[in-house]
């Protein structure tokens, strides 16, 4: 088993196991829900109530810019990133709260360098968290001391503090987060306007929150289990067998007690825009992908800006249901785009230390090979079972210890276990003359120095590579068994909705290519989607209605009783989540012509696809220009226009675009795609409002054009 997988499982296990009350605690405290507010003590939400002393502290950033204290941001430490308040060491933050009997305060402490390491001076910072009554009397407190030495911070991990005394009660109380800075002689150092950080460090309060008890019914938890690069056609529940057996018995069992969507499609074929779409409900084209002739870093930058101004799923649930949102990922593609992903999550666990995707711009082939060889060599070390960091686990436990009691929560678990490099050898026999390197994928090379992903392989070698992928899928299924066991043990299964999905699939030469991100055929767009309600169904339900990853946000919003942003392409699937077959037939979902469009490629020319009825149309931008290069012709299927009858040709092998009998269909879908790209799939305007992203309704002119096209 990969260390990455072990770390992911352990983190998920801690997140879920910690959500169960400690032994004896359930009898001492009332059952918790969010009928009353959960107070996240964050500046953006509580600025009018926050009192900071000393006031007016700021840091000169140069070029006329100043950073005012305290300020709010996500702060990473080792594997854990928390939504935090950064303050001057030696300052006090005071929040007025109504402290009911049974309230709890959770917060983590960390020191962060102001500038260069050599500016850090020896000393310590004492973190003190208190609950006081209106007169300033201390009712309860917890403290921790974090030390500095010359040129370094001695502990660079989150240190948890918690006030859990269930007997305290004060209608008018205040939470005080105070720090004291002392030099190595024990002399108190007070921050001043001239010297904000006398020790060269900031004091960081991570994820400070007050949980209030109530006696209401618990709110639902929603747990998103996201697999990177898992194609639907590899699950037994979707009909796949290796030999005479399924390689995914756990996922199959999950589907057997939930709703399996037979035709779920991603709006893109690579990771970043797919997850942005799932978490925001916005199509990649609305975020700005697909406008250039190929992948464009500037396009991705503006997509992040648009995503940052949109309301995403954790933000919506937190704003409307006081939901606590936490995430655990395996690093990889998530790490370079961490700023987009963090938004709305209070707690974020990841491990970028073994990330093969963070490639230095000036890296030579020799350096790349050395780096990836080292990375791949660490996938299966003898001490793999001990790879999970105890400190990260302890901090994880404190970060989400309230989950079982706080009511509404959103968990996002993401893993790259099915992604290259393929490492699981359970279905292969490695021989001395095997041409295929193991592990196989990014950063692996053949004996002659050719990159493995772009090499020519014969039928036997291709089967070997697919067997490696199947092994990784089977390994991911094994790990899911552990995760579901933790969900059951945590007590969350009776109120948790489990939603399992993938961002995209994987091609194995169905159209001449390998991997993903280069085309928009269904081996890349068809993804699994399984939704299991609390407690599960007695018998699984299969739903043939075509759906999209864009439907996830509206569905979760309705499940959680939250408001769904207006004018999204996606629909809530909640009306289909019933065991009554007649009710499902009557549950007609709204149908938007842009819902089943796809765009965006990571490799090669930009492509667009549109699924309409039984037909699918694919447009490749600049195919002729790309085809002039022999390597591109070899690795990419370069056809300007393609049209497939999916009922007669589900494998998309017979192109009807030049078939005169289908010319009207081709022209109609080409025009419909053009209208959609100019209308609802055009990039949203991110310049009108720096704090939000408005989604306009369909204009009368666009509705008229769609009607003329028979839609």
């Amino acid at each position: 088993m990969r260390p990455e997988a072990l770390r992911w499982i352990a983190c998920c296990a801690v997140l879920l196991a910690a959500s169960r009350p400690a032994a004896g605690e359930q009898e001492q405290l009332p059952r918790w829900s969010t009928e009353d507010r959960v107070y996240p003590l964050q500046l953006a939400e509580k600025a009018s109530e926050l009192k900071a002393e000393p006031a007016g502290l700021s840091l000169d950033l140069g070029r006329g810019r100043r950073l005012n204290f305290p300020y709010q941001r996500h702060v990473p430490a080792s594997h854990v990133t928390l939504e935090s308040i950064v303050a001057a060491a030696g300052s006090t933050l005071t929040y007025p709260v109504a402290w009911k009997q049974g309230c709890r305060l959770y917060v983590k402490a960390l020191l962060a360098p102001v500038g260069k390491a050599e500016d850090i001076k020896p000393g310590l910072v004492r973190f003190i968290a208190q609950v006081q009554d209106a007169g300033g009397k201390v009712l309860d407190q917890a403290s921790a001391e974090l030390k500095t030495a010359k040129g370094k911070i001695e502990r660079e991990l989150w240190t948890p503090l918690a006030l859990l005394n269930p007997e305290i009660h004060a209608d008018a109380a205040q939470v005080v987060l105070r720090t004291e800075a002392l030099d190595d002689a024990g002399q108190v150092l007070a921050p001043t306007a001239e010297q904000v950080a006398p020790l060269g460090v900031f004091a960081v309060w991570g994820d400070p929150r007050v949980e209030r008890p109530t006696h209401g019914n618990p709110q639902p938890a929603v747990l998103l289990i996201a697999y990177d690069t898992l194609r639907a056609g590899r699950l037994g529940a979707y009909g796949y067998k290796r030999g005479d057996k399924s390689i995914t018995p756990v996922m199959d069992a999950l589907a057997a007690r939930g709703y399996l969507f037979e035709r779920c499609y991603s709006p893109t074929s690579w990771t970043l825009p797919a997850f942005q779409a799932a978490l925001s409900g916005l199509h990649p084209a609305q975020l700005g992908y697909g406008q250039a002739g190929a992948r464009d870093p500037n396009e991705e930058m503006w997509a992040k800006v648009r995503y940052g101004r949109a309301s995403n799923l954790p933000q919506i649930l937190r704003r409307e249901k006081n939901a606590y949102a936490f995430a655990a990922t395996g690093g990889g593609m998530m790490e370079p785009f961490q700023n987009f992903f963090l938004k709305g999550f209070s707690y974020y666990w990841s491990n970028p230390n073994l990330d093969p995707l963070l490639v230095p711009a000036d890296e030579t082939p020799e350096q790349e090979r050395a780096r990836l060889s080292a990375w791949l060599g660490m996938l299966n070390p003898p001490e793999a079972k001990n790879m999970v960091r105890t400190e990260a686990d302890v901090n994880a436990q404190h970060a989400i210890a309230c989950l079982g009691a706080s009511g509404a929560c959103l968990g996002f678990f993401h893993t790259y276990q099915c992604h290259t490099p393929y490492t699981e050898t359970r279905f292969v026999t490695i021989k001395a003359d095997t041409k295929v390197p193991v592990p196989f994928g990014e950063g692996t090379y053949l004996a002659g120095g050719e990159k493995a992903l772009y090499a020519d392989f014969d039928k036997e070698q291709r089967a070997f590579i697919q067997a490696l992928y199947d092994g990784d899928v089977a390994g991911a299924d094994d790990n899911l068994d552990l995760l579901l066991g933790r969900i059951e043990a945590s007590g969350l299964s009776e109120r948790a909705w489990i939603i399992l999905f993938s961002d995209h699939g994987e091609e194995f030469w169905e159209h001449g290519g390998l991997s993903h991100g280069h085309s928009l055929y269904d081996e890349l767009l068809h993804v699994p989607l399984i939704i299991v309600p609390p407690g599960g169904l007695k018998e699984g339900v299969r739903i043939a209605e075509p759906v999209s990853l864009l439907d996830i946000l509206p569905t979760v919003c309705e499940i959680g009783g939250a408001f769904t942003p207006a004018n999204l392409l996606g629909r809530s699937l909640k009306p289909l989540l019933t065991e009554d077959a007649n009710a499902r037939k009557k549950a007609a979902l709204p149908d938007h012509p842009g819902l089943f469009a796809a765009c965006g490629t990571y490799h090669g020319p930009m492509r667009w696809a549109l699924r309409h009825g039984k037909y699918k149309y694919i447009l490749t931008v600049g195919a002729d220009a790309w085809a002039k290069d022999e390597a591109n012709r070899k690795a990419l299927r370069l056809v300007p226009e393609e049209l497939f009858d999916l009922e007669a040709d589900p494998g998309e092998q017979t192109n009807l675009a030049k078939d005169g009998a289908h010319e009207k269909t081709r022209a109609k879908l080409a025009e419909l795609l053009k209208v959609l790209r100019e209308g609802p799939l055009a990039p949203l305007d991110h310049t009108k409002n720096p704090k939000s992203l408005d989604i306009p309704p369909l204009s009368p002119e666009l509705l008229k054009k769609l009607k003329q096209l028979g839609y």
Side-chain angles (χ1 to χ4, degrees):
M1 185 184 298
R2 301 185 188 184
E4 180 265 343
L6 286 170
R7 282 188 291 272
W8 181 76
I9 293 168
C11 177
C12 296
V14 172
L15 290 171
L16 292 164
S19 61
R20 190 177 193 178
E25 185 178 296
Q26 203 164 6
E27 290 71 38
Q28 298 174 10
L29 297 174
R31 192 167 183 121
W32 297 46
S33 80
T34 53
E35 288 189 358
D36 205 351
R37 272 196 67 85
V38 177
Y39 267 36
L41 303 179
Q42 302 292 349
L43 302 186
E45 298 180 17
K46 313 301 292 181
S48 61
E49 302 179 19
L50 169 68
K51 180 181 179 183
E53 296 177 325
L57 295 179
S58 65
L59 184 68
D60 187 0
L61 299 178
R63 298 184 180 180
R65 298 175 300 161
R66 300 196 70 84
L67 181 63
N68 298 317
F69 291 92
Y71 68 93
Q72 183 176 328
R73 62 161 293 175
H74 282 87
V75 177
S78 185
H79 303 300
V80 179
T81 299
L82 301 178
E83 191 172 18
S84 306
I85 297 175
V86 181
S91 62
T92 300
L93 308 176
T94 304
Y95 297 88
V97 297
W99 193 274
K100 295 184 178 182
Q101 189 172 7
C103 272
R104 300 176 175 188
L105 169 68
Y106 295 93
V107 68
K108 273 71 63 183
L110 179 74
L111 295 180
V114 173
K116 298 178 181 178
E118 53 261 34
D119 296 332
I120 299 175
K121 301 177 177 61
L124 68 85
V125 176
R126 184 176 295 121
F127 288 76
I128 305 167
Q130 298 177 331
V131 180
Q132 301 178 358
D133 64 17
K137 179 183 176 181
V138 177
L139 304 177
D140 195 11
Q141 77 171 29
S143 63
E145 292 184 351
L146 301 184
K147 296 181 180 180
T148 58
K150 183 175 176 56
K152 70 174 184 177
I153 297 169
E154 292 194 352
R155 177 183 170 85
E156 297 182 320
L157 299 169
W158 292 105
T159 298
L161 294 85
L163 303 181
L164 307 177
N165 188 338
E167 303 303 322
I168 297 175
H169 175 78
D171 290 329
Q174 54 190 15
V175 170
V176 178
L177 304 178
R178 180 163 58 89
T179 55
E180 298 174 349
L182 295 85
D183 63 18
D184 54 352
Q187 183 72 32
V188 175
L189 303 174
T192 64
E194 293 74 26
Q195 181 57 277
V196 178
L199 285 178
V201 294
F202 294 139
V204 183
W205 296 98
D207 189 22
R209 58 192 292 108
V210 172
E211 291 280 350
R212 291 176 165 180
T214 71
H215 299 277
N217 293 323
Q219 297 286 324
V222 178
L223 304 176
L224 303 175
I225 302 176
Y227 288 91
D228 206 293
T229 322
L230 175 61
R231 57 188 282 175
R234 278 310 200 264
L235 276 68
Y238 284 84
Y240 183 72
K241 287 186 178 180
R242 185 169 187 86
D244 60 350
K245 292 183 179 180
S246 167
I247 62 174
T248 56
V250 180
M251 296 183 197
D252 301 344
L254 193 67
R257 59 189 184 92
Y259 301 94
L260 180 146
F261 290 85
E262 295 176 340
R263 295 190 292 164
C264 179
Y265 301 101
S266 174
T268 188
S269 63
W270 65 287
T271 299
L272 178 60
F275 281 119
Q276 285 178 323
L279 290 176
S280 71
L282 295 175
H283 195 283
Q286 292 176 307
L287 290 169
Y289 293 97
Q291 307 308 307
R295 182 189 174 206
D296 184 353
N298 288 326
E299 192 174 85
E300 293 169 19
M301 178 189 71
W302 289 115
K304 286 194 292 178
V305 170
R306 292 184 180 93
Y307 182 90
R309 293 176 184 175
S311 292
N312 70 357
L313 189 53
Q315 280 184 314
I316 293 169
L317 294 181
R318 172 171 157 174
R319 180 176 63 237
E320 298 196 26
K321 304 302 293 184
N322 305 311
Y324 187 85
F326 60 92
T329 82
M333 181 62 73
M334 292 299 183
E335 293 304 323
F337 304 99
Q338 191 180 73
N339 288 338
F340 100 77
F341 188 71
L342 287 176
K343 195 183 69 160
F345 289 104
S346 294
Y347 183 100
Y348 175 72
W349 184 96
S350 70
N351 182 21
N353 294 340
L354 303 181
D355 188 353
L357 298 173
L358 301 180
V359 180
D362 57 350
E363 186 175 53
T364 66
E366 292 75 18
Q367 290 172 330
E368 179 192 36
R369 195 169 305 184
R371 174 177 58 81
L372 270 298
S373 296
W375 182 82
L376 293 167
M378 293 182 71
L379 285 173
N380 292 295
E383 67 279 9
K385 293 183 179 180
N386 299 319
M387 289 291 287
V388 180
R389 295 196 175 190
T390 303
E391 295 283 2
D393 288 349
V394 170
N395 287 316
Q397 188 170 8
H398 282 272
I400 50 80
C402 58
L403 271 184
S406 67
C409 66
L410 173 70
F412 180 88
F413 301 137
H414 166 269
T415 179
Y416 273 96
Q417 193 167 0
C418 302
H419 196 287
T420 55
Y422 309 143
T423 62
E424 179 64 63
T425 59
R426 68 177 72 186
F427 297 132
V428 301
T429 300
I430 300 176
K431 303 176 182 178
D433 60 347
T434 300
K435 180 182 178 183
V436 179
V438 180
F440 175 86
E442 280 93 352
T444 58
Y445 295 81
L446 305 185
E450 184 180 7
K451 282 192 174 183
L453 277 181
Y454 305 109
D456 286 326
F457 294 103
D458 60 28
K459 184 177 180 180
E460 182 179 351
Q461 292 161 345
R462 290 184 176 188
F464 184 94
I465 293 168
Q466 292 193 61
L468 290 176
Y469 175 77
D470 282 2
D472 281 353
V473 172
D477 192 72
D478 293 342
N479 297 339
L480 179 62
D481 191 33
L482 298 179
L483 177 57
L484 294 178
R486 295 295 186 180
I487 293 175
E488 185 71 29
S490 72
L492 279 174
S493 60
E494 292 306 310
R495 67 182 183 90
W497 288 81
I498 298 173
I499 301 178
L500 182 150
F501 69 100
S502 174
D503 58 344
H504 56 74
E506 190 82 324
E507 181 182 354
F508 292 103
W509 299 282
E510 287 87 351
H511 292 89
L514 174 64
S515 190
H516 56 269
H518 58 278
S519 77
L520 296 176
Y521 302 111
D522 277 0
E523 58 266 19
L524 298 186
L525 299 186
H526 185 205
V527 294
L529 176 62
I530 299 170
I531 301 179
V532 183
L537 305 176
K538 292 182 179 179
E539 184 177 348
V541 173
R542 301 181 73 90
I543 299 174
E545 181 89 14
V547 299
S548 167
L549 291 186
L550 296 171
D551 296 325
I552 288 178
L553 181 142
T555 302
V556 175
C557 284
E558 184 169 356
I559 286 172
F563 172 76
T564 302
N567 302 320
L568 291 177
L569 302 184
R571 311 83 35 99
S572 171
L573 304 179
K574 187 69 165 56
L576 297 176
L577 304 183
T578 173
E579 295 175 88
D580 187 334
N582 291 327
R584 289 199 304 274
K585 289 180 181 178
K586 295 177 182 178
L589 298 180
D591 188 11
H592 192 294
L595 180 61
F596 294 107
C599 75
T601 46
Y602 192 79
H603 308 288
M606 188 55 58
R607 304 180 195 261
W608 286 79
L610 180 63
R611 189 183 307 270
H612 184 65
K614 70 174 186 176
Y615 290 101
K616 180 176 174 183
Y617 172 78
I618 300 177
L619 172 69
T620 297
V621 180
D624 293 338
W626 281 82
K628 292 179 181 179
D629 183 274
E630 183 177 353
N632 288 325
R633 288 201 306 273
K634 175 182 174 183
L636 302 169
R637 182 162 165 164
L638 297 168
V639 182
E641 288 183 292
E642 295 172 279
L643 178 69
F644 301 104
D645 181 339
L646 297 177
E647 290 183 0
D649 178 26
E652 301 167 278
Q653 295 297 321
T654 303
N655 182 10
L656 304 174
K658 293 185 178 181
D659 185 338
H662 294 85
E663 172 55 25
K664 288 185 178 180
T665 300
R666 183 210 63 78
K668 178 182 176 180
L669 293 186
E671 180 62 21
L672 178 56
L673 179 59
K674 180 176 180 293
V675 170
L676 291 173
R677 291 179 65 181
E678 294 172 351
L681 295 184
L684 295 173
D685 188 349
H686 62 280
T687 62
K688 289 183 178 179
N689 190 333
K691 295 185 178 180
S692 66
L693 191 67
D694 297 325
I695 309 169
L698 295 179
S699 66
E701 294 78 11
L702 179 61
L703 289 171
K704 182 179 179 180
K705 289 182 180 179
L706 292 174
K707 188 175 181 179
Q708 290 172 346
L709 289 168
Y711 202 91

